[in-house]
Amino acid sequence: STLSRRSAAAARTAADAADSAADHADKAAAAAEEAAANAGKAVDYANRSTAAANAAVEAANKAYDAVTEAREVEEEAREAEIARLSEETEEAIEVARQQRREETDRLERANQERTQQSRLSEELLALITAMDTAFAEGRTGEAVDKGRQAAVLLLDRSGTWTREAAEFALAGSDEDVLRWIEADRLIALEQDNAENAAAVAAISTRAVAEAAAAALGTEDAATVRTFLEKGAVEAARDDNEVEITTLLADPATGTAVRRAAEAALEDGSAEALHTFLHVERAAAVHEDDRVAATTLLASGGPYVRAAAQVALEGDTHMLRQFIGTTQYEFARIDHDHATHISAIRAAIARAAKVAQDALEDAAYASEAAAVARQAGEDATKWADAAKGWAEDAKVSAEEARRNAEAAEASAASAAKS
């Protein structure tokens, strides 16, 4: 009886143990199945991360290719702009050269006219001298002949009074010509001188105007003539000296102008000061303009250099205009040109940075995907093992249940016994 009870108790303990083993086996099987399922997810995640990483690499490469193309387009645009500027510069240079040729022709004509005027003046002076001599010596026929020739020369190159007097003499008789030789010509010349003195006073400084008024106030023809020949220049001496001194005080005054101005001041005469302001300064300004344009040709931006090339090939007015005003307009264009290039290249550089960051991120993604793929491979191995363990656990659970049933039967048999 005692042994039977102990046997029944042992059988019940065995049954409990078998049931527990079966439960744990079921749980192990469930865990193994869950592990297998999660392992499948890991593989799926690895595949998805690999696809995403590959897409990231492809997108980053496209971005960098776009940046490379942007750089090429920007460079081609710059080359096209410079080519266009060069073409327009060549066209402008041809126009400038034509204007310079026209200026040269005008100067040559002016020189010829001045030479012709000089010859006419000499011829006129000789005719007047011969006319006056013949008239004084009583050779009236010769005086009339020389007088008519002199009157013809005075028609196109004299004052209003002198011209009208010459026209009247030519339209009249020999007596009218002789009267013109004796008195009318001189009266007309004095009237023209008076008008010229009044005109000078109207456009000059106060000192010159006062000198003109004083000369005209004398009503002396010689005094008025002296004013026109040198009095106006003498009266303007102080004003001219102030103007030259002011010019020298200006830091923008060029070297050639400064040199000529200093020479005029050093001379100090009214004639030297007048000659500098009204004759020499223009040539000195042109010399300084050429120096300034040559400097800009070497140091300026592409548009300033192009404009300097054109100005140096052009006439005096074009060069003066370039140095005085348009160089600053072209400098602004150069500034805009440089600013635009900087902005475009900055944008491209920013895009390049973004593309490089994308490539870096894609590389990290690829690395993570590789790690995920390796984890997926390990998970697959463990999933396969878990499946085996789940099968084993199921077998063990079944065996445990059979053992439990056998134990229950033994316990019942032992109790009955």
Side-chain angles (χ1 to χ4, degrees):
S1 179
T2 300
L3 291 173
S4 178
R5 285 193 297 273
R6 287 175 64 190
S7 177
R12 284 192 294 272
T13 300
D16 292 338
D19 286 338
S20 177
D23 290 338
H24 285 298
D26 286 337
K27 291 178 179 179
E33 289 175 353
E34 183 179 2
N38 288 331
K41 291 180 180 178
V43 173
D44 182 56
Y45 291 152
N47 292 333
R48 289 166 60 186
S49 65
T50 299
N54 291 338
V57 170
E58 182 180 1
N61 285 331
K62 287 182 178 179
Y64 200 78
D65 290 343
V67 170
T68 301
E69 183 178 1
R71 283 200 177 104
E72 293 173 355
V73 170
E74 190 274 337
E75 184 176 352
E76 291 174 1
R78 294 285 79 78
E79 291 174 355
E81 181 181 16
I82 295 303
R84 177 186 56 78
L85 177 60
S86 177
E87 181 179 349
E88 292 179 354
T89 300
E90 289 300 323
E91 294 174 356
I93 284 175
E94 285 303 315
V95 175
R97 287 173 176 168
Q98 178 60 32
Q99 292 186 4
R100 187 172 182 177
R101 285 193 290 269
E102 292 173 358
E103 180 187 42
T104 301
D105 292 343
R106 288 196 301 272
L107 290 175
E108 288 179 354
R109 286 197 301 271
N111 287 332
Q112 291 173 356
E113 289 172 359
R114 280 195 292 270
T115 301
Q116 185 178 7
Q117 290 287 346
S118 177
R119 287 198 301 268
L120 287 175
S121 296
E122 293 174 358
E123 181 183 356
L124 177 61
L125 181 61
L127 284 172
I128 291 175
T129 301
M131 173 189 73
D132 288 341
T133 301
F135 181 80
E137 294 176 354
R139 301 193 303 274
T140 56
E142 181 181 350
V144 169
D145 181 56
K146 298 296 184 184
R148 290 188 183 278
Q149 294 179 46
V152 170
L153 292 180
L154 288 172
L155 290 178
D156 296 326
R157 49 183 311 277
S158 58
T160 302
W161 293 95
T162 296
R163 184 170 59 253
E164 290 183 354
E167 290 173 352
F168 184 82
L170 288 171
S173 62
D174 290 350
E175 287 75 12
D176 292 323
V177 174
L178 291 173
R179 189 162 46 251
W180 175 76
I181 294 172
E182 182 180 15
D184 292 349
R185 181 182 65 85
L186 298 178
I187 294 172
L189 179 59
E190 292 174 0
Q191 290 171 321
D192 281 332
N193 286 342
E195 283 194 352
N196 290 338
V200 169
I203 62 172
S204 300
T205 62
R206 179 173 181 175
V208 176
E210 289 176 349
L216 290 170
T218 64
E219 297 185 359
D220 178 60
T223 301
V224 174
R225 185 173 63 252
T226 300
F227 166 78
L228 290 173
E229 291 174 350
K230 58 182 181 179
V233 172
E234 290 291 342
R237 183 198 175 286
D238 292 343
D239 291 328
N240 289 343
E241 185 175 34
V242 170
E243 183 176 352
I244 295 174
T245 303
T246 303
L247 185 66
L248 288 173
D250 186 354
T253 299
T255 303
V257 173
R258 190 174 297 277
R259 183 170 56 247
E262 290 172 347
L265 283 179
E266 184 177 355
D267 182 287
S269 66
E271 186 64 30
L273 300 179
H274 174 82
T275 300
F276 164 73
L277 288 175
H278 299 283
V279 180
E280 296 173 349
R281 179 165 60 172
V285 167
H286 185 73
E287 181 181 345
D288 284 332
D289 286 348
R290 290 196 65 83
V291 172
T294 302
T295 301
L296 290 172
L297 185 62
S299 62
Y303 284 91
V304 168
R305 291 198 302 270
Q309 281 183 274
V310 175
L312 285 169
E313 294 288 345
D315 58 19
T316 301
H317 172 71
M318 182 180 292
L319 181 61
R320 177 90 287 271
Q321 189 177 35
F322 169 69
I323 296 301
T325 57
T326 56
Q327 66 156 311
Y328 305 107
E329 297 175 7
F330 284 105
R332 178 183 55 78
I333 295 174
D334 274 331
H335 178 269
D336 292 344
H337 170 77
T339 301
H340 180 259
I341 291 177
S342 298
I344 293 299
R345 291 181 178 174
I348 292 175
R350 175 59 182 165
K353 178 64 168 59
V354 172
Q356 288 164 353
D357 289 344
L359 287 171
E360 182 181 3
D361 292 341
Y364 284 133
S366 298
E367 180 184 12
V371 173
R373 286 195 301 274
Q374 184 64 39
E377 292 173 4
D378 292 342
T380 301
K381 293 177 182 178
W382 287 109
D384 292 339
K387 288 177 181 179
W389 293 334
E391 292 299 326
D392 291 343
K394 288 179 181 179
V395 172
S396 296
E398 185 61 33
E399 183 178 355
R401 278 190 291 272
R402 288 196 303 269
N403 289 336
E405 290 174 358
E408 282 292 337
S410 296
S413 175
K416 182 178 180 181
S417 176

